Amino acid sequence: MTTASWYHSIPTSRRMIAVVATLAIMQGMTFEARSASTEVDSVPMVSIPAGEFLMGSPEGKGRDDERPQRTVYLDAFGIDQVEVTNARYMAFVKATGHRTPPNPYGTGPLVSLTGIEHLPVVQTTWYDAKAYCTWAKKRLPSEAEWEKAARGTDGRMYPWGNEPPTARHANFDREWDDERTLHAVGSLPDGDSPYGVKDMAGNAREWVSDWYDVDYYKDAPPGNPPGPDKKGVVRSIRGGSWHSTPSDIRTTARGRGGFALQTHGTGFRCARSLEKLLHQ
């Protein structure tokens, strides 16, 4: 079955949701956080319309695990406009009693520091990221969802286009400098994706839901790929960090790490199916 015929086999009700999502994007809408009584994670979410996009790198470009490039269909979904911050993560810790991540800035507890509230939280494991998203009534994005939100539908190399990265676009290729290393989320608008999603290149790498498989693209389904059906310890990570080279902050670049990995360059953002966004 081709991708096009696969799309037309989708029930009409789901295609209508896709139309609503497309109109929302055309009008520049984000799904703003609701009242505290219904939404515990106070961050705008950007709606990504249903449809096809180019995933991966063409032959002769990128790395082996980014090929073959293929056309992928995704249902509409929402994604956090920015990475989860220290302030938001600490609200989750306070509400649930979940463990606090290690402090990358010194020896004291992370919660005792000031001036880092709007920096992305790092040192989170895949399990920490999943627990946060579940608490927020969201989920981690799939690898395919993450890439579409980062690059749009025109196959661009970086979220902002094909122009080589500079300090205007992304926080990358740096050495650790304590609290001055990471940037406040959303502070580099020149690096926004076509949908207005921020910081998808550099700053903090981001956990996604998929297991990692170097050969997954060769046999992945053309619609809503869920990631490899496997178990183990290695999950996919996207977006590069403050320490990454330009090649590692491309929209197609795939990272990986054991799900218990904690580094001062890895954080996350959450996603949600559009049906849930529209009915809350």
Side-chain angles (χ1 to χ4, degrees), residues 54-70 143 147 151 157 212-218 238 246-255:
L54 281 175
M55 185 170 184
S57 295
E59 193 63 33
K61 295 186 178 181
R63 300 175 181 133
D64 289 345
D65 65 353
E66 301 167 24
R67 298 190 293 267
Q69 187 179 73
R70 66 203 199 283
E143 197 168 0
E147 187 166 321
R151 77 187 310 196
M157 185 176 296
Y212 174 81
D213 184 345
V214 65
D215 295 320
Y216 181 61
Y217 287 16
K218 296 176 182 177
R238 287 302 203 109
S247 65
D248 286 334
I249 64 171
R250 293 174 298 114
T251 55
T252 54
R254 303 177 69 199

Side-chain angles (χ1 to χ4, degrees), residues 14-277:
R14 293 177 69 187
R15 292 209 298 263
M16 285 298 293
I17 288 172
V19 171
V20 172
T22 302
L23 289 173
I25 289 296
M26 290 174 64
Q27 295 169 11
M29 293 174 58
T30 59
F31 286 83
E32 300 291 342
R34 297 150 187 86
S35 67
S37 62
T38 60
E39 189 74 63
V40 297
D41 191 18
S42 56
V43 63
M45 297 192 77
V46 177
S47 60
I48 309 299
E52 297 178 338
F53 80 106
L54 281 175
M55 185 170 184
S57 295
E59 193 63 33
K61 295 186 178 181
R63 300 175 181 133
D64 289 345
D65 65 353
E66 301 167 24
R67 298 190 293 267
Q69 187 179 73
R70 66 203 199 283
T71 299
V72 171
Y73 172 89
L74 291 177
D75 289 337
F77 64 97
I79 192 166
D80 289 354
Q81 190 172 40
V82 295
E83 296 159 329
V84 174
T85 62
N86 286 307
R88 288 165 57 203
Y89 196 85
M90 288 306 163
F92 156 68
V93 169
K94 182 178 180 180
T96 65
H98 194 88
R99 67 190 183 97
T100 304
N103 177 7
Y105 307 109
T107 57
L110 186 63
V111 70
S112 67
L113 296 182
T114 59
I116 64 165
E117 293 85 355
H118 299 297
L119 303 183
V121 66
V122 292
Q123 297 272 32
T124 53
T125 69
W126 185 88
Y127 284 123
D128 293 333
K130 183 176 184 294
Y132 179 97
C133 292
T134 299
W135 168 75
K137 297 181 174 60
K138 303 178 187 179
R139 56 176 173 78
L140 285 170
S142 70
E143 197 168 0
E145 287 174 335
W146 191 98
E147 187 166 321
K148 183 176 182 179
R151 77 187 310 196
T153 59
D154 59 7
R156 60 183 57 197
M157 185 176 296
Y158 299 102
W160 55 87
N162 295 311
E163 178 185 347
T166 70
R168 293 186 299 105
H169 299 111
N171 179 22
F172 72 106
D173 201 18
R174 300 179 57 199
E175 296 300 322
W176 183 254
D177 190 21
D178 295 324
E179 295 94 331
R180 294 170 292 279
T181 309
L182 290 156
H183 288 185
V185 299
S187 58
L188 295 175
D190 286 348
D192 289 1
S193 85
Y195 300 109
V197 187
K198 299 177 180 295
D199 303 318
M200 299 200 85
N203 217 24
R205 303 193 303 167
E206 299 178 18
W207 290 111
V208 293
S209 62
D210 302 32
W211 295 102
Y212 174 81
D213 184 345
V214 65
D215 295 320
Y216 181 61
Y217 287 16
K218 296 176 182 177
D219 301 308
N224 296 313
D229 183 17
K230 62 180 290 187
K231 295 183 179 180
V233 298
V234 181
R235 295 281 184 173
S236 293
I237 305 174
R238 287 302 203 109
S241 76
W242 52 267
H243 190 57
S244 297
T245 63
S247 65
D248 286 334
I249 64 171
R250 293 174 298 114
T251 55
T252 54
R254 303 177 69 199
R256 59 191 183 274
F259 49 58
L261 176 73
Q262 291 177 288
T263 77
H264 49 354
T266 304
F268 65 98
R269 74 180 77 214
C270 304
R272 184 183 277 160
S273 299
L274 187 62
E275 293 95 327
K276 293 184 179 180
L277 278 167

